[in-house]
Amino acid sequence: MERKKNYFAGPSVMPVEVLKQLSNDLVDYQGKGLSMLEASHRGGMFEDMYDECLLTLRELLGISDDYDVYFLGGGATLQFSMIPMNFLRPGTVADYIRSGTWSNKAADDAAKLGSVHYYFDGKEGGFTSLPDPKQVKPSANSSYLYLCSNETIGGIEWQDFPDTGEVPLIADMSSDIFSRPVPVDKFSMIYGGVQKNLGPAGATLIIMKKSMLERQNSNLTAYFDYKLHAKNKGLYNTPPVFSIWAVKLVLDWIKANGGTEGMLERAKLKSGLIYDVIDGSPSFFKSPVDPAVRSRMNVVFRLPSEELEAKFVEASKKEGMLGLKGHRSVGGLRASLYNALPVEDVQALAQFMKEFERTNG
Amino acid sequence: MERKKNYFAGPSVMPVEVLKQLSNDLVDYQGKGLSMLEASHRGGMFEDMYDECLLTLRELLGISDDYDVYFLGGGATLQFSMIPMNFLRPGTVADYIRSGTWSNKAADDAAKLGSVHYYFDGKEGGFTSLPDPKQVKPSANSSYLYLCSNETIGGIEWQDFPDTGEVPLIADMSSDIFSRPVPVDKFSMIYGGVQKNLGPAGATLIIMKKSMLERQNSNLTAYFDYKLHAKNKGLYNTPPVFSIWAVKLVLDWIKANGGTEGMLERAKLKSGLIYDVIDGSPSFFKSPVDPAVRSRMNVVFRLPSEELEAKFVEASKKEGMLGLKGHRSVGGLRASLYNALPVEDVQALAQFMKEFERTNG
């Protein structure tokens, strides 16, 4: 069976080698006589795999012992609540850089729990730009500054990150983590749903500076208490076992393919192929995004009319291409080019775009 | 490869037919050219599977249209917080029947968010008994009455449920749901982590009476808002796709094996085999539990000494038997006999127990 070309924004394409290994080991994990799905999370079979997963994760991203690393459930959306519950302290504000749908949702939840200051608001400009990282300065009484490293719907991505000094910097990296090296030390917390570059939906990666826990609000219930999760290495309650196992295999795949540097090369090459087509025909293809902050993960573009966009989606499906319709909230077209998407599938899309222009331009 | 005999308390044994089908369809779902893990949760491939899952779920448990049914992440532990956040209203109390570790954890979280009344407290008796359901009456100013239908650590299970009249009844059924028919109409909310009888860890089943949403506290952030989840059929944010897919297949398996009535027969037969051994040798095997509320899912028992218990665990491992050590908080021995555990594996355990007594009694 030929594989579809998968440009979904998430859940999204996974390395076929990982899918095959999951399939292979699913009924009987490494000859142990049971599935990883059936093993207690308090036993060696799960724990050995989990420890290896965390070790590879730390190695690939260069995470020091100053940070805890573990997984939770509930997706990034749950973190939108948990972050202000834990860290937005009474009498302070939280700075949110509102750069698109996802940081906006995070800010909306925070505003229900405390005072929010929009350091930057891209709403008026249709979420097509970002502030200069060098200019970003948190408020004087800020509990933390929050940003989303890549906005999947707007298709914009931070190329560098601000230096917020003593004020903790928190980032939602759901959609571009492990697509490039990250200066982890700049951040007090990095988190992300795993369902783009890391594996199947169901787990949220948490990378938290240990000293951050001293700033935590008190009297939190169990699941909301990062301190409790950190103390238990993410195993306070039953973790999302399958997602973690799959993430472990994806990390092995990333390591075998050049690590985060290798992923960055791939991302530059792949996104370059599509942006080149867009820039090569400005009368037919339009990128709404400030070129300085174009996302390497989610390339959004428009055609001269909505009719042509609909036709483009229909025609792409006939070529075995999935997920090219833009998000329902903004329309247009979008190609998500996560780590696991083969270069050939991006070449095929570039070719298809040129051909579509030739016959419809 | 011979399958281990798996008595883990959760994550736990799954039907081997389901594991095989997951393995079979993992790389290429039904010839569609991609994995279920790679499909957008906004597309037909996932939605068709999800709709079938919910339909079978409603059919098997006899859930009327008065209820919403969906899945969340974060496990039962997250619900310990969400339930009081949503339904414990200012100026009222929540009645908690504290029957063991799990209801105790739920009550502890609720007590951080409002007033909790322990309608029944089994702590002094070591969590070995339950109140008579016919006698249970909620407090006059009660927002809801909460119980855990089966306590995995104590090994006690409600055989019938109280009638709480106008006061909403909420039950954590994580560890015995789908092991028997349930009078759903008695409950305003039933929920449970799926990692015992329903599938792999990572999803929490929510069954909520629609009228319950009118009682919800206001100004909740997005993930905590049951109304938002209900409105979006559990797809407000990315759901735990793999766990849901596996649950769907487990439900098909339950349906093919006699539904909840069939599961009850199995559970009676299997737990009977072990309780018979215990009752047949009261000088060697001791059940700490009130016989009227013995769990059919988790059979806990003691031997004459801790040394013998340790020896029992070691010897059982040599026979390919996993998970017979009691929970670390209470010691002793425990055999979990969830739906998917084959009858033969329970017969083997009964035989092993008798043999162990013969050589060590």
Side-chain angles (χ1 to χ4, degrees), chain B residues 66-270:
Chain B
D66 295 341
Y67 292 77
D68 289 307
V69 182
Y70 54 87
F71 296 90
L72 294 179
T77 302
L78 178 57
Q79 298 307 307
F80 297 166
S81 301
M82 279 178 65
I83 289 164
M85 285 172 88
N86 277 266
F87 301 125
L88 178 41
R89 289 184 295 185
T92 72
V93 301
D95 290 303
Y96 276 75
I97 295 182
R98 183 147 73 159
S99 58
T101 302
W102 300 110
S103 51
N104 189 29
K105 286 192 179 201
D108 281 353
D109 276 346
K112 289 190 168 174
L113 298 162
S115 293
V116 165
H117 173 242
Y118 296 113
Y119 172 81
F120 168 87
D121 194 343
K123 201 169 185 182
E124 245 178 60
F127 294 132
T128 55
S129 66
L130 288 169
D132 177 357
K134 289 198 180 60
Q135 303 301 321
V136 172
K137 292 281 170 285
S139 307
N141 59 339
S142 178
S143 272
Y144 58 84
L145 187 138
Y146 180 102
L147 61 83
C148 175
S149 62
N150 181 70
E151 290 277 3
T152 54
I153 294 176
I156 60 178
E157 186 176 18
W158 289 79
Q159 310 297 310
D160 289 298
F161 296 104
D163 186 342
T164 53
E166 292 300 303
V167 173
L169 179 60
I170 298 180
D172 172 2
M173 294 196 183
S174 295
S175 54
D176 69 348
I177 198 162
F178 284 93
S179 72
R180 55 173 168 171
V182 170
V184 174
D185 287 345
K186 277 195 163 184
F187 297 87
S188 291
M189 177 182 181
I190 293 170
Y191 77 96
V194 303
Q195 69 270 17
K196 282 88 157 67
N197 277 321
L198 278 180
T204 314
L205 170 62
I206 309 285
I207 302 168
M208 177 96 68
K209 203 165 194 169
K210 287 172 180 165
S211 60
M212 193 66 183
L213 297 173
E214 295 157 19
R215 295 168 173 262
Q216 197 176 290
N217 287 319
S218 57
N219 210 34
L220 293 159
T221 54
Y223 202 84
F224 303 148
D225 182 351
Y226 290 124
K227 211 175 279 177
L228 187 65
H229 291 302
K231 197 178 128 196
N232 289 280
K233 281 178 53 187
L235 304 181
Y236 173 73
N237 67 330
T238 314
V241 171
F242 177 79
S243 292
I244 291 172
W245 174 31
V247 167
K248 190 235 174 249
L249 297 178
V250 171
L251 291 171
D252 290 345
W253 178 87
I254 291 173
K255 192 171 169 179
N257 284 275
T260 52
E261 291 287 358
M263 293 301 114
L264 178 59
E265 286 311 305
R266 270 171 80 91
K268 281 181 178 169
L269 171 65
K270 292 192 294 184

Side-chain angles (χ1 to χ4, degrees), chain A residues 1-12:
Chain A
M1 174 73 214
E2 203 179 333
R3 297 255 294 158
K4 296 281 187 190
K5 298 175 179 67
N6 184 338
Y7 313 95
F8 279 132
S12 45

Side-chain angles (χ1 to χ4, degrees), chain A residues 1-6 8 10-16 18-28 31-43 73-78 80-82 85 105 108-110 112-113 195-196 199-202 219-225 236-243 246 322 327-328, chain B residues 1-6 8 10-16 18-28 31-43 73-78 80-82 85 105 108-110 112-113 195-196 199-202 219-225 236-243 246 322 327-328:
Chain A
M1 174 73 214
E2 203 179 333
R3 297 255 294 158
K4 296 281 187 190
K5 298 175 179 67
N6 184 338
F8 279 132
S12 45
V13 61
M14 287 179 58
V16 69
V18 169
L19 293 173
K20 284 179 180 166
Q21 194 170 344
L22 288 169
S23 166
N24 213 46
D25 283 359
L26 197 99
V27 179
D28 184 3
K32 289 183 192 290
L34 73 166
S35 172
M36 181 58 80
L37 309 181
E38 302 174 300
S40 170
H41 60 300
R42 307 289 179 203
T77 302
L78 177 57
F80 297 167
S81 301
M82 278 179 65
M85 286 172 88
K105 285 192 179 203
D108 280 353
D109 276 345
K112 289 191 169 174
L113 297 162
Q195 69 270 17
K196 280 90 156 68
N219 210 35
L220 294 158
T221 54
Y223 202 85
F224 303 148
D225 182 352
Y236 173 73
N237 67 331
T238 313
V241 171
F242 177 79
S243 291
L322 301 178
H327 191 267
R328 61 196 184 285
Chain B
M1 175 71 212
E2 202 180 332
R3 295 256 294 159
K4 296 281 187 189
K5 298 175 179 69
N6 184 338
F8 280 131
S12 46
V13 62
M14 288 179 59
V16 70
V18 170
L19 293 172
K20 284 177 181 167
Q21 195 171 343
L22 288 169
S23 165
N24 212 47
D25 283 359
L26 198 99
V27 178
D28 184 3
K32 289 183 192 291
L34 73 164
S35 173
M36 180 59 79
L37 309 181
E38 302 174 299
S40 170
H41 60 299
R42 308 286 179 207
T77 302
L78 178 57
F80 297 166
S81 301
M82 279 178 65
M85 285 172 88
K105 286 192 179 201
D108 281 353
D109 276 346
K112 289 190 168 174
L113 298 162
Q195 69 270 17
K196 282 88 157 67
N219 210 34
L220 293 159
T221 54
Y223 202 84
F224 303 148
D225 182 351
Y236 173 73
N237 67 330
T238 314
V241 171
F242 177 79
S243 292
L322 301 179
H327 190 267
R328 60 195 185 287

